[in-house]
């Protein structure tokens, strides 16, 4: 039994330099514009039998704007950043430089008091592994870019530090096929979309 999970990175809610840990801001004007520009290319995703999203305002708004009417999944929330929640990386670095260095260097570190990178990847992977495996079943999930990165690291069984080497752009997609514990990253042409 195999399932096909297409992950869509939520449109942005701020510029890259203004991104905040565990951000819960809605889509900004640029994000809405991005969704409008690419919506026609993502229309085929609406045929998915199951449609999910991260519980953030920007993920839900992205899913709704794409016509998916997704169901929020708590397991698809961004990494719990503890006391750094709402801060930019620069702000966290100014307050706790040693803790930020430890967190960036060690995937088991939870220097901020929240989840470690390893715990975050495992949480997202557990959600992925519990999707109903119905041969040919199709699922779409709109999630924060960090969640998409975590899913990719988990599915490829990559070292957790590979998380930092994945660049997931707003409204980009990644498709995983397989079943619990055995996932393949599937690249497709635009004409093959879902």
């Amino acid at each position: 039994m195999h399932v096909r999970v297409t992950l869509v990175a939520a449109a942005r809610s701020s510029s890259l330099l203004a991104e905040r840990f565990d951000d819960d801001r809605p889509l900004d004007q640029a994000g809405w514009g991005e969704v409008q520009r690419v919506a026609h290319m993502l229309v085929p995703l609406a045929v998915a039998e199951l449609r999910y999203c991260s519980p953030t305002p920007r993920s839900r708004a992205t899913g709704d704007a794409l016509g998916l009417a997704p169901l929020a999944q708590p397991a698809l929330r961004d990494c719990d950043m503890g006391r750094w929640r709402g801060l930019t990386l620069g702000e966290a670095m100014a307050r706790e430089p040693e803790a930020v260095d430890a967190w960036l260097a060690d995937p088991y570190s939870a220097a901020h008091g929240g989840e470690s990178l390893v715990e975050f990847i495992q949480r997202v992977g557990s959600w992925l592994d519990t999707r109903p495996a119905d041969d040919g079943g199709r699922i779409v999930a709109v999630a924060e870019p960090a969640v998409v990165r975590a899913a990719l690291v988990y599915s490829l069984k990559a070292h957790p530090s590979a998380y930092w080497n994945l660049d997931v752009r707003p409204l980009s997609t990644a498709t995983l096929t397989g079943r619990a514990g055995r996932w393949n990253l599937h690249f497709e042409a635009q004409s093959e979309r879902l």
Side-chain angles (χ1 to χ4, degrees):
M1 302 289 255
H2 288 85
V3 67
R4 180 184 184 98
V5 180
T6 300
L7 303 164
V8 180
R12 61 191 164 128
S13 59
S14 64
S15 71
L16 187 60
L17 293 176
E19 281 189 15
R20 299 185 173 278
F21 290 123
D22 209 4
D23 198 353
D24 63 357
R25 290 180 289 174
L27 291 181
D28 64 9
Q29 196 62 27
W32 281 110
E34 289 172 348
V35 172
Q36 291 172 342
R37 281 191 298 280
V38 302
H40 68 282
M41 293 187 295
L42 299 177
V43 165
L45 296 176
V47 302
E49 291 88 3
L50 298 172
R51 303 169 197 167
Y52 301 114
C53 67
S54 293
T56 59
R58 78 177 185 166
S59 291
R60 178 170 295 285
T62 300
D64 287 343
L66 294 174
L68 301 176
L71 175 65
Q73 296 283 286
L76 292 178
R77 69 190 181 283
D78 210 339
C79 187
D80 177 357
M81 297 304 291
R83 67 183 171 276
W84 296 348
R85 184 178 195 278
L87 300 179
T88 64
L89 178 59
E91 290 167 343
M93 187 65 123
R95 291 179 188 187
E96 302 180 54
E98 296 85 16
V100 171
D101 287 344
W103 174 68
L104 290 172
D106 179 4
Y108 292 92
S109 172
H112 44 59
E115 281 178 302
S116 71
L117 184 59
V118 169
E119 290 168 331
F120 173 51
I121 291 167
Q122 186 57 48
R123 172 173 44 87
V124 173
S126 292
W127 177 86
L128 188 62
D129 281 347
T130 57
R131 293 311 86 207
D134 191 17
D135 264 349
R138 292 173 289 192
I139 296 171
V140 63
V142 179
E144 299 302 310
V147 172
V148 175
R149 289 165 46 189
L152 294 173
V153 169
Y154 180 83
S155 65
L156 295 172
K157 297 179 180 164
H159 189 276
S161 63
Y163 175 89
W164 303 116
N165 300 105
L166 296 172
D167 184 15
V168 176
R169 300 289 179 164
L171 297 168
S172 60
T173 64
T175 300
L176 302 172
T177 59
R179 63 184 189 287
R182 188 174 176 102
W183 294 98
N184 300 301
L185 180 56
H186 180 78
F187 293 97
E188 56 197 25
Q190 290 291 13
S191 60
E192 286 184 89
R193 222 181 259 282
L194 202 72

